[in-house]
Amino acid sequence: ANDIKQHDVPCPLCGANHYTTRFPATRKASAPDASHFCCTNSHLGQHGDIVECLECGMAYNNPQIDAAALAALYRDVEDPRYLEEQAGRRLTFRKSLEQLQQFRRPPGRLLDVGCYTGAFLRVAADASWEVCGFELSAWAAGMASAAGFPNIYGGELRQMPLEPASLDAATLWDVIEHLPAPAETLDDVARFLKPGGLLAISTHLIDSLPARLMGRRYPFFMEMHVVHFSRQTMRRMLAEHHFEPLAFWPHYRVIRAAYFLEKLQSLLPFGKRLLSPLLRQSFWQEKTVTISWSGLSNIFARRV
């Protein structure tokens, strides 16, 4: 039901209320519904107005859903389709963990914020990290617990039962773009990290070539992605919230070819007609593709 109310919000980076529309809305309906907020949703490139702050250059969705209503939506998310991609996600996370371990090797304590069904927790635990997770979706947290990870917390991140300065690393894979107040989350994470502890973030960058080429049709401009960083705005936010940026590296995503073709279907005009015959062949179910040109980046920073 389209009863999700939206309201105007100030810039999530500098707090100013002085903006221009950078990418006008592409979605048909006047407001999103709950289907826009599950991880595997097909509403790629469908969004409300994306504005740019005239003070600091931060890009964000405006209007937005109230933060408490948004958290309630995420608590209710169920996403069984996500499980079909577990193998690819593990390969993706292995590549990201290899990058992370160039800055910090295990053993050590690692918190995965937005751990979903626990795919990264498994990869990190297999590499000798002591892991815990934070997840709003009750369904996903239940899946992670069932997979052998009892330390999954919901509720408020700042109220996690962790000692201050007790973590060696924290990861936010595909999480920060969902947060209406990303700087607050960085403050919470910083409190749990030891000085010198490592932060890893993956997100799409608005100054990447794909985002610049595709404009308002860029697939990662979606209703559930409420903030859109550039390298400059990401560096500024990290520096203002206890972190020293270390590196921006390409994010390598491994997915089944069939899943990739399905996503392509929803983006291309005549996509269904062109790609449906291909998808009926089992060949595409087994094959995987590695994508590194989508404008996604892995960002590493150190707690100062």
Side-chain angles (χ1 to χ4, degrees):
N2 275 4
D3 52 2
I4 294 176
K5 303 232 180 337
Q6 295 189 299
H7 59 103
D8 281 335
V9 293
C11 172
L13 183 55
C14 75
N17 227 330
H18 189 208
Y19 57 81
T20 181
T21 302
R22 179 160 172 188
F23 298 110
T26 58
R27 69 154 192 269
K28 316 267 187 292
S30 59
D33 60 45
S35 75
H36 285 81
F37 296 91
C38 90
C39 180
T40 57
N41 84 66
S42 58
H43 303 291
L44 296 172
Q46 292 181 36
H47 55 83
D49 285 344
I50 295 174
V51 303
E52 182 173 313
C53 176
L54 291 167
E55 304 296 325
C56 73
M58 181 70 199
Y60 58 103
N61 294 14
N62 204 9
Q64 282 183 25
I65 298 169
D66 167 72
L70 190 61
L73 273 171
Y74 280 123
R75 286 203 177 88
D76 291 342
V77 159
E78 295 190 15
D79 192 6
R81 289 228 41 211
Y82 184 89
L83 302 173
E84 294 170 22
E85 290 303 305
Q86 287 289 60
R89 291 182 204 283
R90 284 206 186 140
L91 292 169
T92 298
F93 285 137
R94 263 183 221 144
K95 288 176 184 291
S96 293
L97 186 65
E98 279 166 22
Q99 291 184 352
L100 180 155
Q101 290 182 167
Q102 296 193 39
F103 298 101
R104 178 71 172 77
R105 313 273 319 161
R109 292 187 75 195
L110 180 149
L111 165 67
D112 188 23
V113 179
C115 66
Y116 219 47
T117 60
F120 179 70
L121 295 177
R122 167 56 55 217
V123 169
D126 287 350
S128 304
W129 288 92
E130 182 194 332
V131 296
C132 55
F134 176 82
E135 178 52 53
L136 285 180
S137 159
W139 170 84
M143 299 296 283
S145 296
F149 299 106
N151 314 352
I152 311 289
Y153 307 98
E156 298 269 325
L157 180 60
R158 64 187 48 139
Q159 289 168 356
M160 273 191 77
L162 289 173
E163 291 295 310
S166 63
L167 295 173
D168 299 286
T171 53
L172 288 84
W173 304 124
D174 301 334
V175 166
I176 204 149
E177 64 274 14
H178 296 256
L179 305 175
E184 284 177 24
T185 297
L186 285 192
D187 286 341
D188 294 340
V189 170
R191 210 172 65 247
F192 294 133
L193 274 172
K194 296 173 182 171
L198 188 70
L199 172 71
I201 291 171
S202 65
T203 192
H204 62 279
L205 293 177
I206 202 166
D207 55 341
S208 65
L209 188 60
R212 294 207 310 263
L213 288 174
M214 296 184 77
R216 70 184 194 141
R217 301 275 168 204
Y218 181 53
F220 295 117
F221 294 158
M222 305 170 74
E223 210 58 65
M224 64 178 183
H225 294 168
V226 295
V227 293
H228 311 278
F229 287 93
S230 64
R231 281 171 183 77
Q232 182 189 354
T233 54
M234 177 61 78
R235 278 198 187 97
R236 172 173 169 171
M237 186 178 69
L238 289 167
E240 288 177 356
H241 295 273
H242 324 288
F243 291 98
E244 173 201 353
L246 300 172
F248 285 72
W249 283 347
H251 174 86
Y252 296 97
R253 181 152 291 184
V254 183
I255 56 178
R256 280 182 312 127
Y259 187 74
F260 176 64
L261 291 173
E262 260 170 55
K263 294 292 186 192
L264 216 50
Q265 266 189 338
S266 61
L267 285 173
L268 294 174
F270 316 116
K272 282 237 178 335
R273 204 182 312 161
L274 292 169
L275 298 173
S276 292
L278 283 178
L279 277 164
R280 285 198 285 273
Q281 297 166 14
S282 60
F283 171 80
W284 300 105
Q285 302 299 331
E286 308 307 318
K287 274 266 175 275
T288 60
V289 284
T290 301
I291 300 168
S292 62
W293 37 261
S294 58
L296 294 171
S297 187
N298 285 351
I299 300 143
F300 299 94
R302 184 171 284 130
R303 167 76 165 101
V304 287

